[in-house]
Amino acid sequence: MTPMKSKSFAAAPEQVKVWKARLVETGPEVVLIRVPISSTSIDRDGDEFSTDGLESMLSALKTGKIPYFLDHGYTDTGVRNYGALDMIGAWLDGEIVDNVLYGTAFIEPGNWRGEELARKLEMGMPIGHSVGFGPIKGRDRPGGGQIFDEVSLWEVSAVGIPSNPDAVNSAAVQAVVKSLRVKAGLETDEMKRKTKEEGEEPKEEE
């Protein structure tokens, strides 16, 4: 499996938005966030995303199937607990503004860690976000580093200090994203049962 890479982005308070809304008319009220998650700027590893690289991540965000984690699954003891049940929500949408990729996510209703994160974001705490991805197309940067022109976005995490997980269980991740979407009113239990009965395994978005 392609090793996962991660790149972080530190957001300024004025770039962050937190609000509550119903994603569907009959669904529950959920917490939504909009934050910058990447850009075309050179990072401290000497790498960067091209505009095409940002577009490839934007397409993945718009599928509604990208999970939202904390710290790429690492605990405060340094042990990785990158489990499907550790998701705090999922990404719904995104846009690129001035070479910065913004993502919009919903927090799982009743998830206290996600709701605490949203509270801290709303207060203007210096919380960054980091994309976990597998490179598809890239090229060398003059002077060192890589330019990523196309990637497979696997997850986006809120981070204090960026981490670099090695892999992600795509099938398990997508099953839990579906469960989160049911909770938020975006899908029905019947749709969830149908997928299970048909034995369909969620596929990694390319």
Side-chain angles (χ1 to χ4, degrees), residues 1-189:
M1 185 175 186
T2 304
M4 176 181 274
K5 296 180 70 69
S6 64
K7 298 295 176 188
S8 62
F9 189 95
E14 63 270 15
Q15 294 177 298
V16 174
K17 182 180 178 183
V18 181
W19 73 103
K20 290 184 177 181
R22 286 182 171 82
L23 300 179
V24 293
E25 187 176 349
T26 58
E29 188 174 67
V30 299
V31 177
L32 292 147
I33 67 161
R34 178 182 181 271
V35 293
I37 60 176
S38 196
S39 75
T40 55
S41 298
I42 301 171
D43 64 25
R44 59 184 170 185
D45 296 323
D47 298 328
E48 64 181 278
F49 290 105
S50 66
T51 302
D52 287 341
L54 292 187
E55 289 284 357
S56 68
M57 291 192 286
L58 176 61
S59 296
L61 292 175
K62 287 179 174 292
T63 68
K65 297 178 181 179
I66 301 300
Y68 193 7
F69 282 102
L70 296 176
D71 298 310
H72 297 301
Y74 280 92
T75 68
D76 56 4
T77 61
V79 176
R80 185 190 300 155
N81 186 25
Y82 203 18
L85 296 180
D86 295 310
M87 292 181 204
I88 60 170
W91 297 86
L92 290 169
D93 202 356
E95 60 182 323
I96 298 172
V97 180
D98 296 330
N99 293 319
V100 176
L101 173 62
Y102 288 80
T104 298
F106 72 89
I107 302 298
E108 176 187 12
N111 187 306
W112 71 268
R113 293 191 304 164
E115 290 172 354
E116 178 65 9
L117 171 67
R119 185 184 69 82
K120 289 179 181 294
L121 287 169
E122 194 168 25
M123 288 174 60
M125 298 286 281
I127 294 170
H129 280 77
S130 182
V131 293
F133 64 95
I136 297 176
K137 293 181 182 178
R139 50 200 158 99
D140 292 334
R141 277 191 70 253
Q146 291 282 310
I147 299 173
F148 298 107
D149 294 313
E150 183 180 359
V151 302
S152 174
L153 182 63
W154 293 345
E155 56 95 3
V156 182
S157 286
V159 295
I161 299 174
S163 311
N164 289 281
D166 299 320
V168 60
N169 184 333
S170 179
V173 161
Q174 296 304 329
V176 178
V177 169
K178 181 175 282 293
S179 176
L180 296 179
R181 290 172 62 83
V182 169
K183 278 190 175 184
L186 292 171
E187 296 188 23
T188 65
D189 285 309

